[in-house]
Amino acid sequence: MRGVYVSAVLLLNCAAGDILRGVDVPLYAFAGGQATLSCSYDLRATRLYSLKWYHNGTEFYRYVPTERNHPTYIKPTLKFSVTEQFRNEQRVTLSLTRLSVSASGQYRCEVIAEHPSFRTEASTAKMIVLREPLKAPVLVGAREIYEPTELIKIGCQTRQPFLQEHLPTLKWYLNDNKVDPERVTPYSKSLLPGYLGLSLHVPGEEIAAAGGSMQAECRLTLGPHTLSTYKTLRVRVRMISYVDNYYSLGVVLRGNVMAVMLTSAAVTIATHC
Ligand SMILES: *[C@@H]1O[C@H](CO)[C@@H](O)[C@H](O)[C@H]1NC(C)=O
């Protein structure tokens, strides 16, 4: 399916004689952080006259191959620092660092073909720079040990508020497997505005059956960014109560020949008694 789609796009590009293949811009970045921007082009049909990057319509990077001494020019700005990370005959990749919130907006890459066509093509993508760095979610209500008869309930919530249009997702995993939807319940309504919560419900029996412990992970995802918080869920296994039986039986049967056998199988002995 994917192969079909890709070849269709290539055909369109060839038919149109396009030189710009597209831009790669992360939808989300964080103030003070970094973002990698890529612009891909194809020079099979023609030669490149210039490749420029604009932010909200203001040019900040220019590559003009015919300018032999200074083919690239970066215009300093207070919104971010720009370094060229990679450049070849197909792609220019920039690294934007020290991002400020005002670095949010539209990023446009424009390519112009050489004389005689001077064909101009551009592609634009949005980036949103969030003020606060992303924080790992917090787990609430978890205990160190549970009984196998209990329904274990744990909450996972964000440590910071999010705007309605930039909501992250929360997901629960048990031993790296995504938890079924019927085992999770959102509870954002009971939190402060902009905070998200997702509770997990697992029968203690299930964890007992898996050997007494499972790794629970709450994963927060926003665009390409992912942060997780982990907790090992432990359930008292029934073995412990067999040992209790063993000791009590041991007391009752002390002195009896059968007591010797108790060390191997307390439960079996119990039925014999
Ligand atoms: C660019 O536009 C976005 C919204 O479109 C705005 O948030 C941002 O502050 C603008 N930045 C500059 C420097 O114009």
Side-chain angles (χ1 to χ4, degrees), residues 55-56 79 101-106:
H55 172 238
N56 285 6
K79 299 175 285 190
V101 172
S102 65
S104 295
Q106 300 293 332

Side-chain angles (χ1 to χ4, degrees), residues 13-83:
N13 275 347
C14 290
D18 283 355
I19 52 174
L20 180 66
R21 285 187 175 264
V23 291
D24 197 355
V25 174
L27 180 55
Y28 294 103
F30 299 93
Q34 187 270 349
T36 302
L37 276 52
S38 262
C39 183
S40 303
Y41 57 100
D42 184 353
L43 291 172
R44 273 179 304 173
T46 178
R47 295 182 59 164
L48 183 75
Y49 169 66
S50 70
L51 182 153
K52 294 175 184 176
W53 273 101
Y54 296 83
H55 172 238
N56 285 6
T58 304
E59 182 191 323
F60 64 90
Y61 170 91
R62 180 193 303 187
Y63 168 47
V64 183
T66 52
E67 302 266 331
R68 299 251 174 253
N69 295 332
H70 302 285
T72 61
Y73 170 71
I74 291 168
K75 190 176 156 204
T77 159
L78 293 174
K79 299 175 285 190
F80 42 70
S81 300
V82 183
T83 49

Side-chain angles (χ1 to χ4, degrees), residues 239-251 262 266-267 270:
M239 277 305 286
I240 306 232
S241 52
Y242 297 163
V243 171
D244 287 345
N245 283 347
Y246 161 73
Y247 283 122
S248 50
L249 281 170
V251 172
L262 287 176
V267 181

Side-chain angles (χ1 to χ4, degrees), residues 4-19:
V4 172
Y5 171 73
V6 169
S7 47
V9 170
L10 290 181
L11 278 176
L12 280 178
N13 275 347
C14 290
D18 283 355
I19 52 174

